[in-house]
Amino acid sequence: MREISMERVEQIRQDIYGTITSLTMTHEQKLTAMCNHADSLMEVLDLPEGLDELLNVPLEKKCICDLNEGHAPMRPRYIVPDYSKLMQDGCEFLKLDPPKDLQEALNALLIFYKHVPSVTNYPVFIGNLDQLIDPFLEGVDDETAFKAIRLFMMHIDRTIVDSFCHADIGPKPTRAGLLIMKAEAELEDATPNLTMRYDPEITGDEFALAGVDCALHSAKPSFANHKMFSSELGENYAIASCYNGLLIGGGSYTLCRLILNHIADRAESIEQFKNETLPYVLDIMARYMDARIKFMVEESNFFEYNFLVKEGFISKDRFSAMYGLVGLAECVNTLFEKEGKEGRFGHNEEANQLGVEIMDIIEAFNNAHENPYCLGTGKRFLLHAQVGLAEDICTSPGTRIPIGEEPEELIDHLRVLEKFHKYFPSGTGDIFPIDITVHNNPEYVLDIVKGSFKEGIRYLSFYRGDSDVIRVTGYLVKRSEMEKLDRGEAVLQNTTGLGLGSAKQGKILERKVR
């Protein structure tokens, strides 16, 4: 174990005092923050040489970000249990028998959720909900079923106070799915996040249009290209956390991200960036992730003691890790400026093509790098277009076109997206606020989804331009809750603070309304 500097210790003490005396954090939020402070005192990883100058530097120079996972990872970042096993077999550790009716099924799930860890200390995946619930609706009238499901969804929002919590429905239409969407449209809550796994050959227009209507009320569900995800990850996959494609029964050990625009700042030319600067950072981040994963698997003992492993809800052979990135647009624009070239990402074909070339380099590196513990994905990491942080300044999430620079025509915007969604089996997505008049024509949104998915776009999100619930990047917050927090009042959801930061730094409230 490496010694930590006294300067760092003093900073952590100040952070702890700030947490204890905070007027805007709930007790639950303070406990989570205190755990993170304690973890910051540990220095146990065998880190690659050169990491410090890329990671532990001021924000404007940081090229690698560890997304606050801590220095002694004691559990995987994202855990995706097989909840169908709970429905079939119950859980010995939690003393739960297999549920026999709707009330027992919902109760079992709510109990189980309290014991699923993640980087947020809350579950980031709560199941393919409609598939889990639908078998228990037989013989239950609509009024009774709706009341039970509505209360269930409300309970999740009030107790899992982090909107990185995610549920899935589809691709097959279900009665439970319709009731879930009806409840979410009424509640307009930020948690859980929700995705419809959509396949036009399976899902059908009625179910999909119910999803559009729900999204225009509550900013969810988003739409995932089921054919695309299942061709890469198999049928037994989930969309978890923001929009992360992961294997059910596994998850992701870790997620680190490249800050591409800051990497571009270190290069003198496009050729130097492609041939020297970027490959150097790619290698260091991969070896840093290797060190994190090795400690987690070999030393943390999570896979030896946790009941999720012992009872078969998760297995090491279903895990991978996520090799993330942000700031492609700003990276391209910076490199163009260094070369004296005109044109910007999203508007100039040469600039867009440079973005493709950069992604090809990253993909080729990732395909060549092996990690012995990423057994779920052939010992390879999964590329991920990371959604961004509240601290990001002039750094767009993933490969998105910067807010305020969106192409005038939606079709032109979509044509840029289709160049990049193919690279990211573990998630990417784009967000479109929709004019309120679309309520009179929900087929318009569904047509966008159908046409986009045919062209290889992976994931799309919509919300009404004047909605209280909005999608920040990959998670949801309420405008009204951000306003409360900005006034210095405590709010229930942890993610509201992230949303407020993104509103101030990332201009999320200024997206072009379609």
Side-chain angles (χ1 to χ4, degrees):
M1 186 183 301
R2 297 187 296 153
E3 290 189 7
I4 188 169
S5 69
M6 288 308 299
E7 291 83 358
R8 180 64 180 141
V9 170
E10 181 57 32
Q11 180 60 55
I12 293 170
R13 285 174 176 165
Q14 292 178 19
D15 291 343
I16 290 171
Y17 182 77
T19 295
I20 292 170
T21 58
S22 172
L23 294 173
T24 60
M25 298 175 74
T26 65
H27 177 70
E28 191 82 20
Q29 290 164 2
K30 289 185 178 184
L31 289 177
T32 299
M34 293 293 277
C35 290
N36 291 335
H37 298 323
D39 189 86
S40 297
L41 290 167
M42 301 297 292
E43 293 282 356
V44 297
L45 302 179
D46 184 15
L47 302 177
E49 185 178 349
L51 179 65
D52 270 348
E53 67 178 41
L54 301 173
L55 176 67
N56 300 315
V57 291
L59 291 175
E60 67 272 12
K61 294 185 179 297
K62 186 177 290 191
C63 296
I64 294 173
C65 173
D66 66 359
L67 288 165
N68 303 313
E69 288 189 7
H71 302 295
M74 61 183 177
R75 40 78 196 111
R77 181 180 180 93
Y78 298 132
I79 293 174
V80 182
D82 181 357
Y83 291 103
S84 65
K85 178 175 171 51
L86 174 66
M87 300 292 97
Q88 295 166 6
D89 303 329
C91 176
E92 181 179 352
F93 179 77
L94 298 177
K95 301 177 183 178
L96 293 172
D97 293 329
K100 298 183 289 295
D101 58 33
L102 179 61
Q103 286 72 27
E104 290 185 4
L106 300 181
N107 186 57
L109 286 168
L110 291 174
I111 290 171
F112 200 90
Y113 295 156
K114 304 298 189 295
H115 302 274
V116 179
S118 76
V119 69
T120 68
N121 296 317
Y122 298 101
V124 296
F125 178 65
I126 57 172
N128 294 323
L129 273 189
D130 61 336
Q131 294 180 16
L132 294 172
I133 295 171
D134 209 58
F136 297 96
L137 294 184
E138 186 174 352
V140 181
D141 64 83
D142 278 353
E143 182 179 356
T144 302
F146 176 70
K147 182 176 181 179
I149 288 172
R150 190 180 187 279
L151 289 172
F152 172 75
M153 303 304 290
M154 183 189 296
H155 184 110
I156 291 170
D157 179 75
R158 306 307 193 269
T159 59
I160 303 177
V161 291
D162 187 290
S163 63
F164 291 114
C165 168
H166 208 120
D168 295 344
I169 58 176
K172 181 181 176 181
T174 58
R175 182 182 172 208
L178 290 172
L179 292 173
I180 289 168
M181 289 187 285
K182 180 182 177 183
E184 288 298 277
E186 281 192 12
L187 291 169
E188 296 189 25
D189 285 333
T191 305
N193 208 333
L194 187 65
T195 291
M196 178 181 290
R197 303 190 301 171
Y198 176 73
D199 181 341
E201 297 179 7
I202 301 172
T203 309
D205 283 1
E206 180 182 359
F207 196 70
L209 287 170
V212 172
D213 180 70
C214 184
L216 294 176
H217 282 89
S218 64
K220 54 185 167 180
S222 297
F223 293 83
N225 189 334
H226 178 66
K227 284 184 178 179
M228 196 171 188
F229 275 107
S230 59
S231 69
E232 298 158 336
L233 301 176
E235 292 287 331
N236 200 24
Y237 77 92
I239 305 299
S241 186
C242 292
Y243 44 46
N244 310 345
L246 297 169
L247 302 181
I248 291 177
S252 177
Y253 292 116
T254 187
L255 164 59
C256 294
R257 63 178 192 159
L258 306 160
I259 306 178
L260 291 174
N261 49 321
H262 294 172
I263 301 173
D265 289 338
R266 297 167 62 95
E268 295 180 0
S269 66
I270 291 174
E271 288 308 306
Q272 185 187 43
F273 175 84
K274 292 195 295 186
N275 297 324
E276 299 175 24
T277 314
L278 179 59
Y280 172 75
V281 180
L282 292 176
D283 176 64
I284 289 179
M285 191 168 91
R287 288 189 287 122
Y288 176 44
M289 290 173 62
D290 288 342
R292 298 185 67 81
I293 295 167
K294 182 178 180 182
F295 177 85
M296 195 181 305
V297 175
E298 296 184 3
E299 298 188 53
S300 77
N301 295 317
F302 176 85
F303 289 95
E304 280 66 48
Y305 76 82
N306 193 276
F307 81 96
L308 294 170
V309 182
K310 288 184 175 182
E311 296 192 37
F313 295 104
I314 59 173
S315 171
K316 277 190 291 188
D317 63 8
R318 299 285 290 172
F319 271 83
S320 185
M322 296 161 64
Y323 198 79
L325 59 90
V326 292
L328 180 66
E330 291 81 5
C331 172
V332 168
N333 294 340
T334 295
L335 293 172
F336 259 44
E337 290 169 8
K338 287 177 180 284
E339 299 273 357
K341 292 176 176 287
E342 295 184 358
R344 294 180 68 80
F345 182 85
H347 297 270
N348 175 276
E349 189 52 40
E350 186 181 357
N352 295 341
Q353 186 56 38
L354 177 57
V356 170
E357 291 172 14
I358 292 169
M359 284 309 311
D360 285 340
I361 292 169
I362 297 171
E363 183 181 55
F365 172 86
N366 187 62
N367 289 341
H369 182 83
E370 285 195 10
N371 179 282
Y373 299 107
C374 291
L375 300 176
T377 50
K379 300 183 179 179
R380 301 294 191 278
F381 300 145
L382 292 171
L383 293 187
H384 175 70
Q386 202 268 330
V387 298
L389 295 178
E391 67 188 32
D392 289 337
I393 300 175
C394 299
T395 301
S396 296
T399 62
R400 289 182 193 165
I401 299 171
I403 293 173
E405 298 186 27
E406 301 96 334
E408 188 65 29
E409 297 298 328
L410 178 59
I411 187 64
D412 294 329
H413 196 153
L414 295 170
R415 281 174 177 152
V416 177
L417 307 186
E418 69 187 36
K419 299 177 186 293
F420 298 101
H421 278 213
K422 64 183 180 181
Y423 292 103
F424 301 105
S426 72
T428 187
D430 283 87
I431 304 168
F432 298 100
I434 297 295
D435 187 275
I436 190 170
T437 57
V438 173
H439 271 293
N440 299 322
N441 186 18
E443 290 83 3
Y444 166 74
V445 176
L446 184 56
D447 285 344
I448 293 172
V449 174
K450 288 179 177 179
S452 299
F453 284 6
K454 282 183 181 178
E455 299 303 319
I457 288 178
R458 182 182 297 277
Y459 195 88
L460 292 173
S461 302
F462 306 90
Y463 61 88
R464 197 178 67 223
D466 63 345
S467 173
D468 187 27
V469 184
I470 63 169
R471 188 165 295 274
V472 178
T473 51
Y475 61 95
L476 308 175
V477 299
K478 285 190 170 187
R479 296 179 202 258
S480 56
E481 291 291 284
M482 289 195 294
E483 290 167 2
K484 283 175 60 178
L485 184 61
D486 202 28
R487 294 194 299 268
E489 301 176 34
V491 294
L492 184 63
Q493 255 80 25
N494 294 337
T495 31
T496 303
L498 302 181
L500 181 60
S502 292
K504 293 184 174 183
Q505 305 285 4
K507 304 179 181 177
I508 60 166
L509 301 180
E510 300 174 30
R511 292 187 179 113
K512 185 175 179 60
V513 177
R514 302 292 183 176

